[in-house]
Amino acid sequence: MIKPVASHLQNEYLPYAELQQQPAEWWAQVLGVVCFGEQLPVVNGAVLSVTLPPLLTAGAICEVWQSAAPVTSGQEGNIQYRCNDEFVFGVVTLEEADFSGDESSSALQLAAALAYRQIVSLLDTLRFPHVVRFWNYMSDINGHSHGLERYRQFNVGRQAGLLAQGRSVTGGLPAACALGASAGPLSIAFLAGKVAPIAIENPRQLNACAYPPVYGPRSPTFSRAALLPWSGGACLFISGTASIVGHESLHLGNVVAQTQEALENIAAVLEVANRQLACGRFDLRDLHYTVYVKHAADLDKVRAVLNAVAGTDIQVIYLQADVCRQELLVEIEAARG
Ligand code: 3EB
């Protein structure tokens, strides 16, 4: 029987300027933070700083994950983490310059393998075996070397790291996202717990771990969403979602249609998640959205579609980022804490 987790996870978006002013009592309930903006000074160990420019808002913006139970922090190797009895949130950043690749393996691939190996090893040590969500950011995601796109190099390294620690790469996978920045180290955040989330797939999309080899020698390792069972309610993490049906990118060059298709995919994931719930249901209008737009000039079009589908009352941030397939113009992730 699944033992429901006792304390609720919550997520909210907060301007970086406000994060800096929070008192110690506030931080005591923060599991982790992902901040988006240029060159942010470190305010706390388990804050991942990603150099993706926010659109729409002036300063840097943060995605904050909070929990009701008090949190303590720690460090192991390259990983900084915060945890309580139920969850651990950790961050790791690795400079590719610190890895010497060779003809067969790029520095990015080696960095990804090390990061994933270290993360899983730490989770085994701390006894938080179940990853709920990974956030992955790397520079020049669509660039090429070693005869392989950099995102695909990352996928090779990610699988190698997971397999080296005895983890599955074919099922029961966490939710995730993978985006490209113009610069910066390989930057990864993770949330893991004591209770296994339910991995949700999308009937409109092929499981990413079963993508055909045309998308690279090793598949990505994520589920379309991760659902955490609670006694009262549930918590849902929807992976980065794009205009992909089956395994194919649709609506090339049409950002409006790509946004609509991505939201159709999210709606389909919600439907599957809702079938798992004994009571209550997730609705597009209640999610918190992080929207990655490839071309800043497309912001208004993407925003208009999201507001038309999910309403204007949603919590949402928009960031400029490259998506892991060159032709994809938008990727949308969502959560409900
Ligand atoms: C896709 O559906 C779009 O490599 O971890 C979305 C979410 C995507 C996560 C990942 C990639 C990842 O294939 C890309």
Side-chain angles (χ1 to χ4, degrees):
M1 200 185 94
I2 298 169
K3 181 174 157 275
V5 253
S7 72
H8 223 290
L9 275 174
Q10 262 188 306
N11 82 318
E12 61 170 345
Y13 300 112
L14 204 66
Y16 179 74
E18 287 180 32
L19 189 83
Q20 286 175 301
Q21 290 162 8
Q22 296 300 326
E25 307 89 83
W26 184 84
W27 279 103
Q29 299 203 332
V30 172
L31 271 165
V33 182
V34 184
C35 281
F36 302 100
E38 286 304 318
Q39 301 289 328
L40 304 172
V42 176
V43 286
N44 188 292
V47 175
L48 187 69
S49 185
V50 181
T51 60
L52 293 181
L55 304 169
L56 213 58
T57 52
I61 191 97
C62 303
E63 173 186 354
V64 180
W65 283 94
Q66 279 182 303
S67 150
V71 171
T72 58
S73 50
Q75 180 169 3
E76 176 68 44
N78 300 300
I79 304 173
Q80 293 194 284
Y81 63 89
R82 294 167 67 81
C83 62
N84 56 26
D85 288 346
E86 290 174 333
F87 296 104
V88 56
F89 184 101
V91 307
V92 50
T93 57
L94 295 174
E95 293 289 349
E96 289 175 48
D98 293 338
F99 293 79
S100 45
D102 55 28
E103 296 99 83
S104 61
S105 313
S106 69
L108 175 60
Q109 179 185 321
L110 297 176
L114 179 71
Y116 272 81
R117 222 167 5 93
Q118 286 193 349
I119 290 168
V120 175
S121 167
L122 173 69
L123 295 177
D124 288 345
T125 305
L126 296 177
R127 297 201 166 79
F128 290 98
H130 305 288
V131 186
V132 179
R133 171 76 151 97
F134 279 114
W135 290 257
N136 302 292
Y137 303 94
M138 66 204 78
S139 65
D140 193 20
I141 193 167
N142 301 128
H144 281 77
S145 74
H146 298 72
L148 207 57
E149 187 186 39
R150 279 168 54 78
Y151 171 63
R152 298 175 183 193
Q153 298 169 15
F154 166 78
N155 280 330
V156 174
R158 175 167 55 176
Q159 276 217 7
L162 291 170
L163 289 169
Q165 290 296 128
R167 291 291 177 127
S168 166
V169 293
T170 55
L173 297 166
C177 62
L179 284 305
S182 61
L186 174 64
S187 304
I188 300 172
F190 57 90
L191 175 70
K194 305 267 184 196
V195 175
I198 299 167
I200 307 270
E201 290 296 340
N202 180 350
R204 304 178 87 237
Q205 297 186 294
L206 192 64
N207 293 12
C209 63
Y211 280 165
V214 62
Y215 298 102
R218 294 289 181 273
S219 293
T221 50
F222 67 95
S223 294
R224 299 300 171 181
L227 176 66
L228 278 174
W230 303 104
S231 42
C235 187
L236 183 66
F237 299 76
I238 299 180
S239 293
T241 305
S243 177
I244 296 174
V245 175
H247 57 77
E248 277 173 309
S249 306
L250 297 191
H251 316 299
L252 305 192
N254 184 343
V255 73
V256 168
Q258 285 200 13
T259 308
Q260 286 165 338
E261 200 71 62
L263 290 169
E264 288 281 344
N265 279 328
I266 290 180
V269 167
L270 283 187
E271 208 178 295
V272 177
N274 282 335
R275 273 188 246 131
Q276 302 277 343
L277 300 181
C279 58
R281 55 183 279 114
F282 295 108
D283 189 288
L284 280 170
R285 293 174 176 271
D286 303 324
L287 301 180
H288 299 179
Y289 295 89
T290 299
V291 181
Y292 301 95
V293 181
K294 180 159 174 159
H295 303 299
D298 286 339
L299 171 65
D300 289 346
K301 288 180 185 165
V302 172
R303 209 176 155 209
V305 174
L306 180 57
N307 286 333
V309 172
T312 51
D313 213 19
I314 48 174
Q315 286 199 38
V316 54
I317 61 171
Y318 295 89
L319 306 164
Q320 193 275 313
D322 294 329
V323 183
C324 62
R325 293 185 191 179
Q326 188 96 49
E327 68 275 16
L328 294 174
L329 302 172
V330 60
E331 181 170 306
I332 305 174
E333 62 190 43
R336 183 67 191 157

